[in-house]
């Protein structure tokens, strides 16, 4: 072998170093991009979940408070139907244990039979409707402070 072949070529060493650093940089960038993507997707999902929960809680609270305060028999029946739709359906997807318990408690107080106009407003539902709303508010606060713990 010739003498100059035995020496290391500084340009070749630098070229290999640059390629190695480029590869390491690309791997770090790929890992960072994956983490950012999954973190963003989780946040998007939870934002949608939380907003849906908020909307259903608002609808449920409105139905309960309407049943407790309305003087219109038509509004009472509409609110009772809406409450039952949420209670037996979609609300179960997002409610926690405390709201479920409050919903059951409130449901047990709703007159199941026909009521007359002169029975309204149903004042005995007012405090239970209020407690139900406060329970939903507390659950929303907990969900906001500790995302994903309820899922």
């Amino acid at each position: 072998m010739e003498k100059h072949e035995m020496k290391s070529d500084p340009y070749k060493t630098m070229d290999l170093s640059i390629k190695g650093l480029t590869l390491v940089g690309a791997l770090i960038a790929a890992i960072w991009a994956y983490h950012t993507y999954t973190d963003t997707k989780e946040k998007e999902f939870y934002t949608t979940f939380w907003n849906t929960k908020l909307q259903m809680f608002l609808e449920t609270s409105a139905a309960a408070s309407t049943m407790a305060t309305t003087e219109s028999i038509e509004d009472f029946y509409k609110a009772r139907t809406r409450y039952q739709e949420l209670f037996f359906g979609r609300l179960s997807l997002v409610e926690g244990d405390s709201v479920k318990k409050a919903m059951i408690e409130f449901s047990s107080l709703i007159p199941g039979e026909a009521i007359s106009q002169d029975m309204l407003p149903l004042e005995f539902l007012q405090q239970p409707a209020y407690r139900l709303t406060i329970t939903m508010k507390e659950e929303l606060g907990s969900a906001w402070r500790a995302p994903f713990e309820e899922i």
Side-chain angles (χ1 to χ4, degrees):
M1 287 194 169
E2 291 184 26
K3 201 173 190 180
H4 72 286
E5 286 182 32
M6 298 281 289
K7 289 183 183 179
S8 65
D9 184 0
Y11 294 112
K12 190 173 185 180
T13 303
M14 185 181 286
D15 185 49
L16 286 174
S17 296
I18 291 172
K19 287 180 181 177
L21 289 173
T22 302
L23 179 61
V24 169
L27 287 173
I28 290 171
I31 291 168
W32 178 80
Y34 174 77
H35 173 71
T36 301
Y37 173 78
T38 55
D39 186 54
T40 300
K41 286 297 177 189
E42 285 177 358
K43 287 177 182 173
E44 287 174 1
F45 169 80
Y46 194 75
T47 299
T48 300
F49 179 84
W50 196 88
N51 285 332
T52 300
K53 182 176 196 152
L54 172 62
Q55 186 58 44
M56 282 195 245
F57 280 10
L58 290 171
E59 289 179 44
T60 302
S61 177
S65 64
T66 297
M67 284 187 279
T69 60
T70 190
E71 295 181 6
S72 164
I73 196 74
E74 291 170 5
D75 289 347
F76 174 83
Y77 283 126
K78 285 178 188 175
R80 183 170 73 179
T81 299
R82 184 64 184 139
Y83 182 88
Q84 290 171 338
E85 288 171 352
L86 289 160
F87 179 64
F88 292 111
R90 298 182 316 143
L91 190 61
S92 297
L93 293 170
V94 298
E95 72 185 354
D97 292 337
S98 61
V99 170
K100 176 87 172 162
K101 182 180 175 186
M103 293 286 292
I104 291 169
E105 181 183 320
F106 187 83
S107 291
S108 70
L109 301 173
I110 301 170
E113 71 281 346
I115 62 168
S116 62
Q117 181 73 44
D118 62 327
M119 295 170 69
L120 298 176
L122 298 179
E123 293 179 1
F124 66 91
L125 288 179
Q126 290 175 359
Q127 284 303 306
Y130 174 76
R131 285 192 300 272
L132 172 62
T133 300
I134 294 302
T135 301
M136 288 186 269
K137 176 184 171 186
E138 290 168 354
E139 186 172 307
L140 284 170
S142 294
W144 184 259
R145 286 186 300 278
F148 294 107
E149 287 191 16
E150 62 189 316
I151 300 176

